[in-house]
Amino acid sequence: MGVTLSGRVWAVLSLSTALAVFGAAWQAVDQADAPPPSARGWLAELARVPRVAARLPHRADYDRSAFGQAWADATDVLGGNNACDTRNDILRRDLDEVVTAAGPRCAATVTAGRLRSPYTGRALVFRRSRATSVQIDHIVPLSFAWDMGAHGWPAATRLRFANDPANLVAVDEKSNRDKGDREPARWMPPARAFHCQYAQQFVAVLAAYPVLLDEPSARVLAAALRGCR
């Protein structure tokens, strides 16, 4: 069975991607008018990403707190400063049959919903009482980004990166744990039908932020992009 994000979710990610890649203004683009670029366009964008021969050695000074408060609302990304933390923003975006209630960090805190994890195709029921069953993954991992350039960014850029919806997706707990901070050369989603979309989002984030890419991962991403239909 093919695994794809819902049209509602892909419209949001496509808009984020188109803006990251082509630099359009948020207010000037309608989601319905922002289809993903062609495979050739994605490959051209990938070719512009600065490369290194291999992933740089892991820096011992990495700390999650360097990217600011987890799921902070006070940032200038799409959906920021909306009186709701980023985690709940992404859950509302990615889940179906969403149920919300007022909470301390969000007036529309997600308390229940359903997700088909794009990484595996597995159907999940989300309940706030067992919230870890659905997790929010950074498509370009924070630790990877740190090693590949983010250690030198201003704090505001790191905060934006950690909360940018173009770099976030709701997934199942196991695949998020299995991925860890691994780059595409060492991990791609188990659901091969999602490789195209995963590669597109990975490239979109690299186009928007100064993150180096290792050559082995560039080859994996290029192969995934060539397989897009």
Side-chain angles (χ1 to χ4, degrees):
M1 177 180 64
V3 180
T4 58
L5 293 177
S6 70
R8 168 174 55 86
V9 173
W10 186 241
V12 173
L13 293 182
S14 296
L15 175 61
S16 300
T17 294
L19 295 175
V21 174
F22 299 111
W26 288 111
Q27 61 271 24
V29 180
D30 184 89
Q31 288 184 6
D33 298 325
S38 66
R40 181 178 296 178
W42 285 113
L43 288 166
E45 193 60 39
L46 173 61
R48 285 190 281 271
V49 175
R51 309 283 182 84
V52 289
R55 178 172 176 169
L56 300 178
H58 181 59
R59 295 177 58 97
D61 58 354
Y62 169 73
D63 192 286
R64 172 63 179 82
S65 64
F67 288 85
Q69 178 186 352
W71 311 129
D73 180 44
T75 181
D76 59 358
V77 297
L78 180 68
N81 293 295
N82 66 349
C84 187
D85 61 285
T86 302
R87 174 177 166 79
N88 277 291
D89 286 343
I90 301 303
L91 289 173
R92 285 199 314 276
R93 185 195 72 184
D94 290 3
L95 269 59
D96 294 314
E97 301 178 29
V98 172
V99 178
T100 63
R105 297 185 64 186
C106 178
T109 297
V110 177
T111 60
R114 294 181 179 274
L115 173 74
R116 185 171 295 279
S117 174
Y119 285 179
T120 62
R122 180 185 172 197
L124 303 168
V125 176
F126 173 82
R127 294 285 184 272
R128 191 148 190 86
S129 59
R130 199 172 163 275
T132 59
S133 64
V134 173
Q135 299 186 357
I136 309 302
D137 180 48
H138 289 90
I139 293 173
V140 179
L142 299 185
S143 179
F144 173 78
W146 183 262
D147 294 342
M148 304 296 271
H151 60 275
W153 298 352
T157 303
R158 290 198 291 263
L159 181 67
R160 185 182 310 122
F161 179 86
N163 292 278
D164 192 330
N167 193 32
L168 298 171
V169 63
V171 300
D172 62 287
E173 178 183 15
K174 183 180 185 302
S175 60
N176 189 38
R177 185 173 63 247
D178 289 347
K179 174 184 173 181
D181 75 339
R182 289 189 287 175
E183 66 277 17
R186 295 192 297 150
W187 190 92
M188 287 290 282
R192 295 187 62 84
F194 191 66
H195 284 194
C196 171
Q197 293 181 15
Y198 186 83
Q200 288 175 348
Q201 288 309 123
F202 208 100
V203 171
V205 174
L206 298 184
Y209 296 90
V211 180
L212 297 171
L213 181 64
D214 59 290
E215 286 285 358
S217 290
R219 291 193 291 271
V220 169
L221 292 172
L225 292 171
R226 292 189 192 100
C228 291
R229 292 179 176 84

